[in-house]
Amino acid sequence: MKKWLLLPAFCLAVSGVTRQEIVYRETPEGKLAMTVFYPHGWTAADRRPGIVFFFGGGFINGDRKQFYSKAGYLASRGMVAASAEYRVKNKHQTSREDALLDCQAAYGWLKSHASEHGIDPLKLSAGGGSAGAACALSIHQNGDRPASFVLFNPAYLETLTPNESLPPSIQFFGTADPFYPAAKAYWRAAPKGRVELFVAKGQPHGFFNDQGDGVWHATTSYLMDSFLTARGFLTGKPTISLPESSKAVMYSEAGLGVSPAGKPAQVPAGVSAHLNLEYKPGLLLDVFVPGGTPKPLIVWIHGGGWEQGNKENPPSMKMLEQGFAAASIRYRLSQEAPMPAQIEDCLAAIRYLRANAAKLGYDGTKIGVWGASAGGHLAALTGTRGKGDASVQAVVDWFGPTDFRRMSNWPTRIDHNSPASPESRLIGGPVQQNGLLSGLANPAAYVHAGTPPFLIEHGDADPLVPMEQSELLHAALLKAGASSEFVGLHGAGHGGPEFMSPANLERVLAFFRRTLR
């Protein structure tokens, strides 16, 4: 390896971080390099999440030092982070197309050399600012698939159409940025939950560039950290503070205010919150326990196509004032590990929750699971596969997939048979060409007479998961002699107000009261 260099002083909170410069491509206009930042304690034998950034400048000028501070910060938090140069017009007399090819080559080089740099190639993300963010997006457009995107005022969004194969991304814009209207349209067109768009009121293009103790550098770094932590690429809390002054003028396009990462929803009086308990190395869960006699526990398993989502603010908390304790878990996402890692994590979480019930104060003999979409699928698998100390006593499955090989039998917005579908990425190959793996992911394959009671709910207008998927599971449960109640919600889509209505939540509450008391 080349000589180690100390990190520049302008990078924040980067004690122990080192870097090296590497030539990744030779072009007719000269060699191209990237600067790679390594965490304290890094070794080549590591398999850490990684990210590569690309600078902005309209494909005319720019310098990879623009992202040294962001890369250095992420290295201080445990990732291997790089900032790459590419050809630009003023220096190399080249075109935008040349720049895009360079950025694609930089990502491909780092991915193919991941083992030399202690990177897990399945956890390699891409990011950048303005033209550099467009470069990052071109990697996906070219057929590769970064684990996630971290994008600062990306340009040329109006030329792109997001689809179901889009990796999860976070984007930052100022409302005074001329590219902001295109960003808002892109966010609206993206699959639900796939793009997190954060907006700074009155800020221009490139507002995130302020360095040192700059408010926007700190704010965007904090939110970048929270986004990557929610996807399992970082652990713990950000080591950079969220400036108070940004909270009033920074908000998500979904209408959510900016708040510290991991902050739970309002906890009712008399409820003890046990946050970020490590139930398995690197995997965390939250538990909320009302006072008084030990209550049954309802565990929420989040959705997100098995590749995004987090444990924060679970619907199970709505049951705290109804005589239940609540929990929410994080599991490995599909870009971290293929199936069966996700169900193994869910079962490990149940074992942990059962073993620690007396210490935390709930009734460990009465545990129900509840999930939506991918979380519904995992809740169903937990119910049908859980045995002994990993068993549960009740399952609520909201619109979860069942038989991956039948999902494209009905019209949906996703080609479920595509290698890029969430189901294919979960099992590690196209569902139709991997019948055994698809079958092993089917909760109906494990039902038996002793399977706990199920409440299955599905919208008849679901554009992503056909309602037949829930009907198949319901029929399998009844055939095996298990208890199952199926509710089709007329006009409901893939989630939405019909599921969270008072009447439907009362139905869920009544089910848990019957089965856990």
Side-chain angles (χ1 to χ4, degrees), residues 147-304:
S148 69
F149 285 121
V150 178
L151 306 173
F152 302 85
N153 43 257
Y156 304 104
L157 283 175
E158 69 277 6
T159 67
L160 304 176
T161 302
N163 56 37
E164 292 297 334
S165 69
L166 181 72
S169 72
I170 186 169
Q171 298 184 15
F172 301 95
F173 274 91
T175 58
D177 188 330
F179 291 111
Y180 171 56
K184 199 166 183 178
Y186 183 89
W187 172 76
R188 287 172 174 165
K192 183 178 179 182
R194 201 62 58 88
V195 176
E196 295 183 20
L197 177 57
F198 281 91
V199 182
K201 294 181 182 177
Q203 294 302 307
H205 190 71
F207 73 98
F208 70 93
N209 281 314
D210 59 348
Q211 298 288 350
D213 293 328
V215 167
W216 296 117
H217 170 71
T219 301
T220 55
S221 295
Y222 182 96
L223 294 170
M224 169 184 70
D225 187 315
S226 302
F227 169 81
L228 293 169
T229 299
R231 279 143 192 85
F233 301 144
L234 298 173
T235 58
K237 294 183 177 181
T239 56
I240 192 170
S241 298
L242 178 66
E244 287 291 329
S245 59
S246 70
K247 295 181 183 179
V249 291
M250 189 83 173
Y251 61 95
S252 78
E253 197 61 59
L256 303 175
V258 174
S259 60
K263 183 177 180 180
Q266 187 67 38
V267 179
V271 173
S272 299
H274 306 276
L275 304 180
N276 296 319
L277 302 176
E278 189 172 50
Y279 72 87
K280 194 175 180 180
L283 294 175
L284 308 177
L285 56 78
D286 297 335
V287 182
F288 304 90
V289 183
T293 58
K295 309 294 192 300
L297 178 68
I298 299 174
V299 182
W300 174 255
I301 304 176
H302 70 79

Side-chain angles (χ1 to χ4, degrees), residues 135-146 149 163 165-167:
C135 282
L137 285 167
S138 79
I139 296 166
H140 177 245
Q141 297 301 118
N142 193 49
D144 209 335
R145 190 174 190 279
F149 285 121
N163 56 37
S165 69
L166 181 72

Side-chain angles (χ1 to χ4, degrees), residues 63 203 354 407 410 441 461:
D63 192 313
Q203 294 302 307
R354 196 174 299 282
M407 292 185 72
W410 299 83

Side-chain angles (χ1 to χ4, degrees), residues 62-87:
D63 192 313
R64 69 182 185 273
K65 290 181 180 178
Q66 180 186 30
F67 277 95
Y68 277 13
S69 187
K70 289 285 195 285
Y73 173 75
L74 291 178
S76 77
R77 290 278 284 120
M79 293 182 77
V80 176
S83 186
E85 68 176 334
Y86 55 89
R87 288 173 291 174

Side-chain angles (χ1 to χ4, degrees), residues 48 62 134 136 197 232 245 292 303 326 350 417 435 446:
R48 297 173 182 263
L197 177 57
S245 59
I350 299 300
N417 293 333
Y446 305 95

Side-chain angles (χ1 to χ4, degrees), residues 186-477:
Y186 183 89
W187 172 76
R188 287 172 174 165
K192 183 178 179 182
R194 201 62 58 88
V195 176
E196 295 183 20
L197 177 57
F198 281 91
V199 182
K201 294 181 182 177
Q203 294 302 307
H205 190 71
F207 73 98
F208 70 93
N209 281 314
D210 59 348
Q211 298 288 350
D213 293 328
V215 167
W216 296 117
H217 170 71
T219 301
T220 55
S221 295
Y222 182 96
L223 294 170
M224 169 184 70
D225 187 315
S226 302
F227 169 81
L228 293 169
T229 299
R231 279 143 192 85
F233 301 144
L234 298 173
T235 58
K237 294 183 177 181
T239 56
I240 192 170
S241 298
L242 178 66
E244 287 291 329
S245 59
S246 70
K247 295 181 183 179
V249 291
M250 189 83 173
Y251 61 95
S252 78
E253 197 61 59
L256 303 175
V258 174
S259 60
K263 183 177 180 180
Q266 187 67 38
V267 179
V271 173
S272 299
H274 306 276
L275 304 180
N276 296 319
L277 302 176
E278 189 172 50
Y279 72 87
K280 194 175 180 180
L283 294 175
L284 308 177
L285 56 78
D286 297 335
V287 182
F288 304 90
V289 183
T293 58
K295 309 294 192 300
L297 178 68
I298 299 174
V299 182
W300 174 255
I301 304 176
H302 70 79
W306 305 280
E307 61 184 12
Q308 59 182 319
N310 59 62
K311 62 181 175 60
E312 316 306 333
N313 305 328
S316 55
M317 291 185 68
K318 296 183 180 295
M319 303 299 171
L320 289 173
E321 295 180 331
Q322 307 299 328
F324 294 91
S328 181
I329 70 173
R330 192 188 89 75
Y331 52 85
R332 282 173 289 176
L333 304 175
S334 59
Q335 60 266 35
E336 298 177 73
M339 200 74 180
Q342 294 71 27
I343 183 57
E344 290 172 351
D345 294 344
C346 293
L347 295 175
I350 299 300
R351 294 187 190 97
Y352 175 93
L353 289 166
R354 196 174 299 282
N356 289 275
K359 180 172 69 174
L360 296 174
Y362 51 84
D363 186 346
T365 67
K366 300 175 181 178
I367 299 178
V369 288
W370 179 12
S373 192
H377 167 256
L378 293 174
L381 273 176
T382 301
T384 57
R385 286 191 54 181
K387 298 178 181 179
D389 56 0
S391 63
V392 296
Q393 285 65 59
V395 179
V396 174
D397 171 7
W398 277 1
F399 47 91
T402 297
D403 187 344
F404 295 168
R405 292 165 294 179
R406 291 182 59 91
M407 292 185 72
S408 284
N409 288 6
W410 299 83
T412 71
R413 282 168 37 193
I414 301 176
D415 178 4
H416 298 282
N417 293 333
S418 165
S421 75
E423 297 78 24
S424 295
R425 291 197 296 268
L426 175 69
I427 66 172
V431 295
Q432 296 298 346
Q433 283 74 53
N434 291 274
L436 177 60
L437 293 175
S438 295
L440 292 174
N442 186 347
Y446 305 95
V447 299
H448 52 90
T451 297
F454 270 63
L455 169 62
I456 305 172
E457 297 190 335
H458 211 121
D460 63 8
D462 192 322
L464 299 179
V465 178
M467 191 165 74
E468 185 211 30
Q469 292 287 299
S470 288
E471 293 172 335
L472 290 170
L473 179 57
H474 174 62
L477 288 162

